[in-house]
Amino acid sequence: MAGVAAHDKTASTTLYYWPNIPGRGEFVRLALEEAQIDYYDIARDENGGGVQAIYALLQGTAPHSTNQNPVFAPPALFIDGKLLYQTSNILLALAKRNLGKLVPDADEHTLDVANQLQCLITDFVAETHDTHHPIAVSLYYKDQLTEAKRRAHDFCTHRIPKFLSFFERQVAHSRGPYLLGAADRFCYVDLSLAHTLLGLEYAFPVAFKRATESTPLILALRDAVLARPNIKAYRESERCLPFNEDGVFRRYPELDLEEEGEGGTRKKQKK
Protein backbone atom coordinates (compact mmCIF):
# COMPACT_ATOMS: atom_id res chain seq x y z
CA MET A 1 0.00 0.00 0.00
CA ALA A 2 1.40 3.41 -0.95
CA GLY A 3 2.64 5.65 1.79
CA VAL A 4 3.23 2.72 4.13
CA ALA A 5 6.53 2.33 2.30
CA ALA A 6 7.41 6.03 2.49
CA HIS A 7 10.18 5.17 4.96
CA ASP A 8 11.17 1.93 3.22
CA LYS A 9 14.48 2.32 1.40
CA THR A 10 13.85 -0.93 -0.47
CA ALA A 11 11.00 0.61 -2.48
CA SER A 12 11.82 0.75 -6.19
CA THR A 13 10.52 4.33 -6.49
CA THR A 14 12.29 7.16 -4.67
CA LEU A 15 11.12 10.75 -4.28
CA TYR A 16 13.75 13.43 -3.75
CA TYR A 17 12.54 16.62 -2.10
CA TRP A 18 13.45 18.95 0.75
CA PRO A 19 12.31 17.84 4.22
CA ASN A 20 9.87 19.69 6.53
CA ILE A 21 7.83 21.43 3.80
CA PRO A 22 5.14 20.24 1.37
CA GLY A 23 6.53 22.46 -1.41
CA ARG A 24 6.51 21.38 -5.02
CA GLY A 25 7.20 17.82 -3.93
CA GLU A 26 3.64 17.58 -2.65
CA PHE A 27 2.24 17.54 -6.17
CA VAL A 28 4.23 14.36 -6.81
CA ARG A 29 3.34 12.83 -3.43
CA LEU A 30 -0.36 13.27 -4.11
CA ALA A 31 -0.06 11.38 -7.39
CA LEU A 32 1.95 8.59 -5.76
CA GLU A 33 -0.57 8.29 -2.95
CA GLU A 34 -3.61 8.36 -5.23
CA ALA A 35 -2.15 5.66 -7.48
CA GLN A 36 -1.03 3.63 -4.44
CA ILE A 37 2.57 3.40 -5.58
CA ASP A 38 5.08 2.21 -3.00
CA TYR A 39 7.80 4.83 -2.71
CA TYR A 40 10.64 5.92 -0.49
CA ASP A 41 10.46 9.61 0.45
CA ILE A 42 13.92 11.08 1.03
CA ALA A 43 12.34 13.93 2.99
CA ARG A 44 11.07 11.44 5.57
CA ASP A 45 14.49 9.91 6.23
CA GLU A 46 14.37 8.85 9.87
CA ASN A 47 18.07 9.57 10.34
CA GLY A 48 17.75 13.17 9.23
CA GLY A 49 19.66 12.66 6.00
CA GLY A 50 17.11 14.32 3.73
CA VAL A 51 19.00 17.57 3.18
CA GLN A 52 22.29 15.78 2.54
CA ALA A 53 20.54 13.52 0.02
CA ILE A 54 19.26 16.55 -1.90
CA TYR A 55 22.71 18.15 -1.97
CA ALA A 56 24.12 14.86 -3.25
CA LEU A 57 21.43 14.77 -5.92
CA LEU A 58 22.29 18.29 -7.11
CA GLN A 59 26.01 17.49 -7.09
CA GLY A 60 25.45 14.31 -9.06
CA THR A 61 26.64 11.98 -6.29
CA ALA A 62 23.32 10.51 -5.16
CA PRO A 63 22.84 6.74 -5.60
CA HIS A 64 20.50 7.34 -8.54
CA SER A 65 22.53 10.13 -10.20
CA THR A 66 23.98 9.78 -13.68
CA ASN A 67 26.42 12.02 -15.53
CA GLN A 68 24.19 11.91 -18.61
CA ASN A 69 21.14 13.24 -16.76
CA PRO A 70 22.05 15.75 -14.03
CA VAL A 71 19.19 17.20 -11.96
CA PHE A 72 18.73 20.98 -11.81
CA ALA A 73 16.41 21.08 -8.79
CA PRO A 74 14.01 18.88 -6.83
CA PRO A 75 11.49 17.39 -6.93
CA ALA A 76 13.05 14.43 -8.68
CA LEU A 77 11.71 10.91 -8.95
CA PHE A 78 13.62 7.69 -9.52
CA ILE A 79 11.26 5.23 -11.16
CA ASP A 80 11.72 2.24 -13.45
CA GLY A 81 15.47 2.79 -13.43
CA LYS A 82 15.16 6.41 -14.60
CA LEU A 83 15.74 9.66 -12.72
CA LEU A 84 13.22 12.33 -13.70
CA TYR A 85 12.82 15.93 -12.61
CA GLN A 86 10.51 18.90 -13.29
CA THR A 87 7.10 18.50 -11.63
CA SER A 88 5.03 18.47 -14.84
CA ASN A 89 7.36 15.95 -16.46
CA ILE A 90 7.28 13.63 -13.44
CA LEU A 91 3.50 13.72 -13.25
CA LEU A 92 3.06 12.99 -16.95
CA ALA A 93 5.43 10.03 -16.65
CA LEU A 94 3.49 8.71 -13.66
CA ALA A 95 0.21 9.14 -15.52
CA LYS A 96 1.43 7.13 -18.49
CA ARG A 97 2.44 4.34 -16.12
CA ASN A 98 -0.88 4.41 -14.27
CA LEU A 99 -3.64 4.62 -16.86
CA GLY A 100 -7.05 4.57 -15.27
CA LYS A 101 -5.65 5.84 -11.98
CA LEU A 102 -3.95 9.14 -12.80
CA VAL A 103 -5.31 9.70 -16.29
CA PRO A 104 -8.42 8.16 -17.83
CA ASP A 105 -6.79 6.71 -20.94
CA ALA A 106 -3.72 6.74 -23.18
CA ASP A 107 -5.31 8.94 -25.83
CA GLU A 108 -2.70 11.40 -27.09
CA HIS A 109 -5.08 14.35 -26.90
CA THR A 110 -6.01 13.50 -23.30
CA LEU A 111 -2.35 13.40 -22.29
CA ASP A 112 -1.63 16.67 -24.11
CA VAL A 113 -4.50 18.48 -22.43
CA ALA A 114 -3.56 17.14 -19.01
CA ASN A 115 0.04 18.17 -19.46
CA GLN A 116 -0.74 21.69 -20.62
CA LEU A 117 -3.07 22.19 -17.66
CA GLN A 118 -0.36 20.96 -15.31
CA CYS A 119 2.14 23.33 -16.92
CA LEU A 120 -0.31 26.17 -16.30
CA ILE A 121 -0.62 25.18 -12.64
CA THR A 122 3.17 25.13 -12.42
CA ASP A 123 3.23 28.72 -13.72
CA PHE A 124 0.56 29.67 -11.19
CA VAL A 125 2.56 28.16 -8.33
CA ALA A 126 5.70 29.97 -9.49
CA GLU A 127 3.84 33.28 -9.45
CA THR A 128 2.58 32.48 -5.96
CA HIS A 129 6.13 31.91 -4.74
CA ASP A 130 7.28 35.17 -6.28
CA THR A 131 4.89 37.17 -4.12
CA HIS A 132 7.13 36.67 -1.09
CA HIS A 133 10.41 36.49 -3.02
CA PRO A 134 9.95 38.90 -5.94
CA ILE A 135 13.60 39.97 -6.19
CA ALA A 136 15.75 36.95 -5.37
CA VAL A 137 15.38 33.60 -3.64
CA SER A 138 18.76 34.25 -2.00
CA LEU A 139 17.37 37.23 -0.05
CA TYR A 140 15.29 37.05 3.10
CA TYR A 141 11.64 38.03 2.85
CA LYS A 142 12.20 41.08 5.08
CA ASP A 143 14.88 42.32 2.67
CA GLN A 144 12.37 42.57 -0.19
CA LEU A 145 9.22 43.41 1.74
CA THR A 146 8.39 46.61 -0.16
CA GLU A 147 8.63 44.83 -3.50
CA ALA A 148 6.73 41.83 -2.12
CA LYS A 149 3.79 44.01 -1.12
CA ARG A 150 3.56 45.50 -4.61
CA ARG A 151 3.89 42.10 -6.27
CA ALA A 152 1.36 40.45 -3.97
CA HIS A 153 -1.22 43.19 -4.44
CA ASP A 154 -1.18 42.69 -8.20
CA PHE A 155 -1.21 38.91 -7.75
CA CYS A 156 -4.22 39.00 -5.42
CA THR A 157 -6.11 41.61 -7.43
CA HIS A 158 -5.50 40.35 -10.94
CA ARG A 159 -3.63 37.06 -11.23
CA ILE A 160 -5.55 34.88 -8.77
CA PRO A 161 -8.93 35.80 -10.33
CA LYS A 162 -7.54 35.30 -13.84
CA PHE A 163 -6.13 31.84 -13.16
CA LEU A 164 -9.13 30.65 -11.16
CA SER A 165 -11.66 31.92 -13.69
CA PHE A 166 -9.81 30.02 -16.40
CA PHE A 167 -9.92 26.75 -14.47
CA GLU A 168 -13.60 27.41 -13.76
CA ARG A 169 -14.22 27.71 -17.50
CA GLN A 170 -12.27 24.51 -18.10
CA VAL A 171 -14.48 22.54 -15.68
CA ALA A 172 -17.60 24.11 -17.17
CA HIS A 173 -16.43 23.22 -20.67
CA SER A 174 -15.74 19.61 -19.66
CA ARG A 175 -19.08 19.49 -17.78
CA GLY A 176 -17.19 18.38 -14.66
CA PRO A 177 -16.88 17.61 -11.91
CA TYR A 178 -13.23 17.30 -12.97
CA LEU A 179 -11.01 19.25 -15.34
CA LEU A 180 -11.31 16.59 -18.05
CA GLY A 181 -14.95 15.76 -17.43
CA ALA A 182 -17.10 13.29 -15.53
CA ALA A 183 -16.08 11.24 -12.50
CA ASP A 184 -14.52 8.56 -14.70
CA ARG A 185 -12.33 11.27 -16.28
CA PHE A 186 -10.44 12.02 -13.07
CA CYS A 187 -6.83 13.05 -13.72
CA TYR A 188 -3.68 13.87 -11.79
CA VAL A 189 -4.17 17.54 -12.67
CA ASP A 190 -7.26 17.55 -10.45
CA LEU A 191 -4.97 16.65 -7.54
CA SER A 192 -2.65 19.52 -8.41
CA LEU A 193 -5.43 22.07 -8.74
CA ALA A 194 -7.01 21.00 -5.45
CA HIS A 195 -3.69 21.33 -3.64
CA THR A 196 -3.08 24.74 -5.22
CA LEU A 197 -6.48 25.93 -4.03
CA LEU A 198 -5.69 24.79 -0.49
CA GLY A 199 -2.37 26.59 -0.64
CA LEU A 200 -3.90 29.82 -1.89
CA GLU A 201 -6.56 29.73 0.80
CA TYR A 202 -3.83 29.30 3.40
CA ALA A 203 -1.61 32.07 2.07
CA PHE A 204 -4.20 34.61 0.94
CA PRO A 205 -7.49 33.87 2.75
CA VAL A 206 -9.12 37.21 1.93
CA ALA A 207 -8.11 37.28 -1.72
CA PHE A 208 -9.02 33.61 -2.10
CA LYS A 209 -12.49 34.09 -0.63
CA ARG A 210 -13.13 37.04 -2.89
CA ALA A 211 -11.89 35.32 -6.04
CA THR A 212 -13.82 32.09 -5.44
CA GLU A 213 -17.17 33.76 -4.95
CA SER A 214 -17.69 33.24 -8.68
CA THR A 215 -15.97 29.86 -9.06
CA PRO A 216 -18.23 27.21 -7.49
CA LEU A 217 -17.13 24.48 -9.90
CA ILE A 218 -13.48 24.43 -8.91
CA LEU A 219 -14.44 24.53 -5.23
CA ALA A 220 -16.60 21.47 -5.84
CA LEU A 221 -13.65 19.87 -7.65
CA ARG A 222 -11.44 20.53 -4.64
CA ASP A 223 -13.97 18.92 -2.30
CA ALA A 224 -14.34 15.91 -4.60
CA VAL A 225 -10.57 15.40 -4.67
CA LEU A 226 -10.27 15.68 -0.89
CA ALA A 227 -13.03 13.08 -0.50
CA ARG A 228 -11.21 10.49 -2.60
CA PRO A 229 -10.32 7.60 -0.24
CA ASN A 230 -6.58 7.49 -0.93
CA ILE A 231 -6.19 11.25 -0.67
CA LYS A 232 -8.30 11.43 2.47
CA ALA A 233 -6.23 8.69 4.11
CA TYR A 234 -2.98 10.41 3.15
CA ARG A 235 -4.06 13.82 4.42
CA GLU A 236 -5.07 12.30 7.74
CA SER A 237 -1.70 10.57 8.13
CA GLU A 238 1.52 11.92 9.63
CA ARG A 239 3.10 11.69 6.18
CA CYS A 240 1.17 14.76 5.07
CA LEU A 241 2.86 17.95 6.26
CA PRO A 242 0.87 21.15 6.84
CA PHE A 243 1.63 24.40 5.07
CA ASN A 244 4.20 26.48 6.91
CA GLU A 245 6.35 29.60 6.57
CA ASP A 246 9.12 27.88 4.61
CA GLY A 247 7.19 26.53 1.65
CA VAL A 248 5.77 27.87 -1.58
CA PHE A 249 2.50 28.92 0.06
CA ARG A 250 3.31 31.24 2.98
CA ARG A 251 0.90 33.25 5.09
CA TYR A 252 2.01 36.83 5.46
CA PRO A 253 -1.12 38.86 6.32
CA GLU A 254 0.48 42.05 5.01
CA LEU A 255 0.55 40.53 1.51
CA ASP A 256 -3.14 39.66 1.43
CA LEU A 257 -5.94 42.01 0.38
CA GLU A 258 -7.65 44.07 3.03
CA GLU A 259 -10.84 42.70 4.49
CA GLU A 260 -14.17 44.39 3.87
CA GLY A 261 -15.74 45.96 6.91
CA GLU A 262 -19.31 47.03 7.50
CA GLY A 263 -20.87 49.10 4.76
CA GLY A 264 -18.40 47.80 2.20
CA THR A 265 -15.44 49.69 3.65
CA ARG A 266 -12.05 48.04 3.78
CA LYS A 267 -10.23 47.30 7.01
CA LYS A 268 -6.58 46.44 7.31
CA GLN A 269 -5.58 43.06 8.64
CA LYS A 270 -3.49 42.80 11.74
CA LYS A 271 0.17 42.21 11.02
Side-chain angles (χ1 to χ4, degrees), residues 111-223:
L111 293 172
D112 287 345
V113 171
N115 186 50
Q116 68 187 10
L117 288 170
Q118 183 62 47
C119 288
L120 183 61
I121 291 174
T122 300
D123 291 343
F124 194 9
V125 172
E127 289 195 28
T128 304
H129 175 273
D130 288 348
T131 60
H132 50 78
H133 279 76
I135 302 300
V137 295
S138 59
L139 296 176
Y140 288 110
Y141 166 66
K142 64 180 181 180
D143 296 326
Q144 47 195 321
L145 179 57
T146 299
E147 294 86 355
K149 287 181 177 180
R150 292 187 63 189
R151 181 67 176 263
H153 180 76
D154 180 77
F155 180 73
C156 291
T157 304
H158 303 292
R159 303 300 286 169
I160 291 179
K162 183 172 184 176
F163 276 102
L164 297 191
S165 64
F166 174 82
F167 288 117
E168 182 78 3
R169 285 193 291 122
Q170 174 65 31
V171 178
H173 176 73
S174 72
R175 300 184 180 180
Y178 293 123
L179 286 164
L180 298 186
D184 62 351
R185 301 286 294 170
F186 168 79
C187 180
Y188 67 91
V189 188
D190 298 308
L191 298 171
S192 295
L193 179 58
H195 181 66
T196 301
L197 294 176
L198 291 174
L200 290 170
E201 187 172 24
Y202 170 80
F204 306 102
V206 177
F208 180 82
K209 181 179 180 181
R210 196 169 300 167
T212 53
E213 288 176 350
S214 58
T215 59
L217 297 179
I218 59 173
L219 292 182
L221 179 152
R222 175 201 61 188
D223 294 343

Side-chain angles (χ1 to χ4, degrees), residues 33-86:
E33 294 282 345
E34 173 62 24
Q36 293 286 277
I37 299 171
D38 289 338
Y39 67 102
Y40 172 55
D41 193 341
I42 290 291
R44 307 294 189 263
D45 185 273
E46 295 178 340
N47 297 318
V51 172
Q52 289 79 4
I54 297 301
Y55 286 142
L57 176 75
L58 299 180
Q59 294 166 3
T61 58
H64 301 128
S65 298
T66 65
N67 293 330
Q68 292 77 23
N69 185 31
V71 172
F72 180 76
L77 189 73
F78 181 76
I79 184 170
D80 294 341
K82 299 178 181 179
L83 184 60
L84 308 174
Y85 68 100
Q86 287 289 347

